[in-house]
Amino acid sequence: MTRRPFICGNWKMFKTSAEAAALARELRAQVGGVAAQVAIAPPFTALPAAHNALVGSSVELFAQNCHWEASGAYTGEVSAPMLRELGCAGVILGHSERRQLFGETDATVQKKLKAALGAGLTAIVCVGETLAEREAQRETAVVSTQVRGALAGGLTSADTARIAFAYEPVWAIGTGKVATPAQAQAMHATIRGLLRERVGGAADGIRILYGGSVKPDNAATLLSQPDIDGALVGGASLQAADFSRIVAAARERV
Ligand code: PEP
């Protein structure tokens, strides 16, 4: 089954509204009209400015997190319907920084995934092992638990069109240490196997992105692997030229 490549930029806590609008405008000029699905995930505060800058472009707007309830007494939180209202097409869930620094668990990721899909958003569910877990040869067990945990609430075949996974080894995020294409491919194949257990053949349509120090000069090799369907890009998504070159690498894969 052909899977449309998907490149998403995770801007983390970078870019004011003015800076986000400027970068979004640069990106729309450089990556418009490509066959790959392209998204950017600015901070919450910059979503309206980025949305305005992207009107009429194929570049989609994603958020970096959401709450599992639609509304309520949850000070400081933002819900999935609120993101839809701002023009978001999707949301990143369970990023390792949220798991490590903000107490995100497989259980909260599962609830957020349900809320995101219910609100009509696409979700990118992040999974990945730490260096200590890989050194203890526990990476497959850790990632399998995360994938199963995220899907514990069930997944219909209709949902499969709006869910993607991102395998992001924690030791490769922001470190310049990229997983080898073989290491990444092996984990992506494991994740696809787990998805098949859940949704059978529909698993072949679910995109699994790689994340962790993806740069213009390593993107093509990673994307040449059979189960690597795109990239979740942190640092290199903050420069239009670098991000555009990664998108170009995905275009060549089509
Ligand atoms: C990320 O934060 O999702 C990420 C992959 O970051 P970087 O590309 O900077 O390693």
Side-chain angles (χ1 to χ4, degrees):
M1 187 182 288
T2 323
R3 291 180 292 272
R4 187 178 174 215
F6 183 13
I7 308 292
C8 180
N10 172 14
W11 293 5
K12 309 194 184 194
M13 198 173 72
F14 293 103
K15 306 293 176 188
T16 63
S17 290
E19 291 165 347
L23 179 53
R25 274 195 296 271
E26 271 190 273
L27 284 174
R28 69 173 290 167
Q30 294 185 24
V31 307
V34 297
Q37 181 177 355
V38 180
I40 54 169
F44 285 136
T45 51
L47 288 171
H51 180 252
N52 285 341
L54 293 178
V55 169
S57 125
S58 60
V59 178
E60 295 179 358
L61 190 66
F62 271 49
Q64 301 172 17
N65 181 31
C66 70
H67 194 264
W68 56 82
E69 294 291 348
S71 61
Y74 300 103
T75 303
E77 293 291 323
V78 174
S79 76
M82 291 170 181
L83 296 177
R84 277 293 279 177
E85 188 193 26
L86 286 184
C88 286
V91 62
I92 298 169
L93 296 176
H95 191 279
S96 61
E97 285 153 15
R98 296 218 56 84
R99 292 178 190 260
Q100 292 197 315
L101 304 172
F102 302 105
E104 193 85 83
T105 64
D106 292 339
T108 57
V109 172
Q110 184 261 309
K111 289 198 284 185
K112 291 177 178 195
L113 175 61
K114 199 160 179 277
L117 295 174
L121 295 169
T122 290
I124 301 176
V125 177
C126 302
V127 296
E129 81 286 357
T130 63
L131 183 59
E133 288 162 345
R134 181 161 278 265
E135 285 175 348
Q137 299 181 343
R138 292 185 49 234
E139 69 272 17
T140 304
V142 167
V143 170
S144 301
T145 300
Q146 291 172 339
V147 171
R148 289 198 176 103
L151 299 180
L155 188 70
T156 67
S157 43
D159 292 336
T160 57
R162 284 194 291 108
I163 184 170
F165 281 81
Y167 169 55
E168 301 205 301
V170 178
W171 47 271
I173 295 181
T175 58
K177 281 187 205 152
V178 63
T180 65
Q183 281 173 325
Q185 165 56 30
M187 190 61 83
H188 283 227
T190 298
I191 295 169
R192 197 168 311 284
L194 292 166
L195 297 175
R196 274 199 199 102
E197 284 174 14
R198 282 274 165 187
V199 291
D204 290 337
I206 299 178
R207 271 88 55 88
I208 306 173
L209 319 184
Y210 170 78
S213 297
V214 175
K215 307 286 176 212
D217 56 1
N218 61 24
T221 323
L222 288 159
L223 290 165
S224 69
Q225 300 298 306
D227 285 291
I228 300 185
D229 308 313
L232 183 55
V233 185
S237 70
L238 297 171
Q239 302 288 339
D242 285 352
F243 191 64
S244 307
R245 284 176 62 202
I246 294 169
V247 170
R251 182 173 34 198
E252 278 156 24
R253 183 187 191 273
V254 177

